[in-house]
């Protein structure tokens, strides 16, 4: 009797193990579970993905504030390039952004950067302001300077050279002028007419697409 009971238990255990192994080896469709994260394929060509990529910064709150102020004011001025209030706000935001660069590498303000110690400072500045968001800031500056009109003297001498470089706007660069007086060149102490971007572009055969604000 005990032998039959033993055989019965052995057969039952074998059947249980067989059924269990078969279940484990069978592919089962995963049931949805709200506790598990869901994943989807990312379209790297989508505008949303590209905007997210260009919004990456170094997470420094002070630099992020400066970056977003330039972006916001550049967007506002690009939409209304003849608005003097928006233009003044943009100039202030860009000056603050440029001063942050110059605070790291002072030679950027007067275009006196040389090799050696200046190179190390320039590398630090480029690293501090080399995030994808900073590239987006400079693209926004180029775009608004191609649409709104700026002239020599709109930006202070200590930032004008750097801003002109970032925005690719030669009309605000004091180094692009040839002074007739001693000392720093600006719109007040250079008596000659200052060429605007339209004249500079014409020299290179380019057309000026900037807004004519009637002055």
């Amino acid at each position: 009797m005990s032998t039959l009971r033993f055989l019965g238990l052995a057969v039952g255990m074998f059947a249980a193990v067989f059924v269990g192994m078969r279940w484990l080896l069978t592919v089962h469709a995963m049931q949805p579970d709200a506790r598990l994260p869901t994943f989807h394929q990312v379209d790297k060509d989508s505008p949303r993905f590209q905007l997210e990529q260009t919004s990456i910064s170094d997470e420094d709150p002070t630099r992020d504030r400066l970056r977003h102020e330039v972006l916001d004011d550049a967007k506002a001025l690009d939409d209304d390039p003849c608005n003097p209030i928006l233009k003044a706000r943009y100039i202030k935001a860009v000056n603050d952004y440029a001063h942050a660069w110059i605070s790291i590498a002072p030679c950027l303000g007067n275009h006196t950067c040389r090799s050696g110690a200046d190179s190390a400072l320039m590398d630090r500045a480029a690293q501090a302001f080399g995030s994808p968001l900073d590239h987006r800031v400079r693209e926004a500056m180029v775009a608004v300077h191609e649409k709104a009109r700026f002239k020599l003297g709109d930006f202070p001498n200590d930032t004008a050279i750097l801003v002109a470089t970032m925005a690719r706007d030669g009309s605000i660069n004091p180094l692009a002028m040839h002074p007739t007086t001693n000392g720093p060149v600006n719109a007040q102490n250079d008596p000659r007419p200052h060429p605007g971007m339209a004249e500079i572009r014409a020299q290179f055969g380019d057309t000026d697409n900037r807004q004519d604000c009637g002055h």
Side-chain angles (χ1 to χ4, degrees), residues 145-146 148-155 160 164-165 167-177 187 194-201 208 210:
H145 279 251
E146 289 180 345
R149 293 181 182 274
F150 297 91
K151 65 181 183 302
L152 187 67
D154 280 346
F155 294 88
T165 301
R168 302 177 192 169
D169 188 351
S171 65
I172 63 173
N173 188 352
L175 296 181
M177 308 300 167
H194 300 301
M197 183 60 79
E199 297 173 62
I200 294 174
R201 286 179 177 273
D208 187 359
R210 296 186 304 170

Side-chain angles (χ1 to χ4, degrees), residues 65-79:
R65 177 182 59 80
L66 296 173
R67 293 161 178 145
H68 285 291
E69 284 179 354
V70 175
L71 285 172
D72 292 344
D73 291 333
K75 175 64 169 62
L77 185 59
D78 187 77
D79 292 339

Side-chain angles (χ1 to χ4, degrees), residues 138-149:
R138 294 192 283 277
E139 288 174 356
M141 290 173 61
V142 171
V144 78
H145 279 251
E146 289 180 345
K147 192 170 184 179
R149 293 181 182 274

Side-chain angles (χ1 to χ4, degrees), residues 8 45 140:
D45 295 326

